[in-house]
Amino acid sequence: MKRFFLYAVAITALCSACETENEVFATETKEQSNTLHQAKGVKTNDYQTYQSIMNSFVYNKSQTYEKNLLLFEEHVNQQILNYVKQETYSYEKINQEQLLVLKRADATFIEQLAYTKEAKQAIQTILSNRFTSDAMQLIINEDEQNLIATLFALQGNGNDDDLLNGKRRIAFAYGAQYSFTQAVLYAGAIELLAKY
């Protein structure tokens, strides 16, 4: 009995020696990165949120693209609850006809979007890989600035969209007109094409 008591005391002492009140212990994985940022008090941006949602979705190669798309739609709607207030949340779907248009879209599609002339020009320069951060100063609207920063990050942070001919960024810009959830749904649906 004394031996068990001594083991318990030793284990407790070891555990408390490794922990202090101000430290946050976490293992950063793709699925946990946003939660960890929130725990550290770091505000995540739309790019990080998008990446977190995409990285936490497991594409099942034994299923069809269409089945994975339905699973992805459910996944996004579940994950988005981590970023919005539940009382403002409503389930959002992928419109298959619109997705078909986005699968065929090219840079000329940008003109159809409901953004300012400056934002459309910035999106065009991002798609042509000529965007510089100086162009951001021309955009006054905060939502459009956020969109441009996200599109630039999608292109520049090791996520080259060349394989998809810029369609993922176009889809994100299209969806962002309506909501962040729509942006993630459409851009993610295009990104999943590369895995199919």
Side-chain angles (χ1 to χ4, degrees):
M1 185 73 163
K2 287 181 183 178
R3 186 178 293 168
F4 290 114
F5 177 75
L6 291 174
Y7 287 140
V9 170
I11 291 172
T12 304
L14 181 62
C15 290
S16 36
C18 297
E19 216 172 276
T20 66
E21 285 183 28
N22 294 329
E23 289 181 293
V24 176
F25 295 96
T27 303
E28 242 184 274
T29 63
K30 291 178 181 177
E31 293 82 12
Q32 295 172 321
S33 62
N34 188 54
T35 306
L36 185 59
H37 284 296
Q38 289 173 347
K40 291 179 178 177
V42 176
K43 185 178 185 284
T44 58
N45 61 33
D46 287 349
Y47 170 75
Q48 291 168 324
T49 303
Y50 173 80
Q51 284 303 115
S52 178
I53 291 171
M54 290 304 297
N55 290 335
S56 63
F57 179 71
V58 178
Y59 190 91
N60 185 344
K61 291 189 179 201
S62 67
Q63 299 286 338
T64 64
Y65 169 76
E66 291 76 18
K67 177 65 177 165
N68 274 291
L69 199 56
L70 290 173
L71 295 171
F72 177 69
E73 180 181 280
E74 292 173 12
H75 175 76
V76 169
N77 279 282
Q78 288 172 350
Q79 292 297 308
I80 222 69
L81 285 170
N82 295 325
Y83 306 98
V84 299
K85 296 177 184 174
Q86 274 194 321
E87 54 273 4
T88 62
Y89 167 77
S90 65
Y91 191 93
E92 296 189 38
K93 293 185 172 208
I94 297 172
N95 178 310
Q96 294 299 322
E97 290 176 17
Q98 185 59 49
L99 180 58
L100 186 59
V101 169
L102 292 170
K103 286 178 183 178
R104 297 177 183 159
D106 60 16
T108 60
F109 183 80
I110 300 304
E111 287 305 314
Q112 299 175 30
L113 301 180
Y115 297 114
T116 63
K117 178 183 172 186
E118 293 79 15
K120 289 178 185 180
Q121 288 173 342
I123 295 170
Q124 293 283 2
T125 59
I126 288 172
L127 291 173
S128 64
N129 296 319
R130 295 180 291 123
F131 183 78
T132 62
S133 57
D134 295 336
M136 188 69 84
Q137 297 171 355
L138 301 174
I139 300 169
I140 300 168
N141 181 300
E142 187 177 333
D143 290 335
E144 289 183 350
Q145 286 178 347
N146 189 30
L147 170 68
I148 299 305
T150 303
L151 295 177
F152 185 66
L154 280 171
Q155 178 249 328
N157 288 347
N159 293 303
D160 196 343
D161 213 9
D162 288 342
L163 179 64
L164 302 166
N165 296 322
K167 291 178 185 356
R168 178 181 54 175
R169 288 174 280 170
I170 293 168
F172 193 96
Y174 167 80
Q177 298 174 111
Y178 306 103
S179 70
F180 178 70
T181 304
Q182 289 291 306
V184 173
L185 285 170
Y186 286 111
I190 297 295
E191 187 172 328
L192 292 180
L193 284 171
K195 297 182 180 185
Y196 179 62

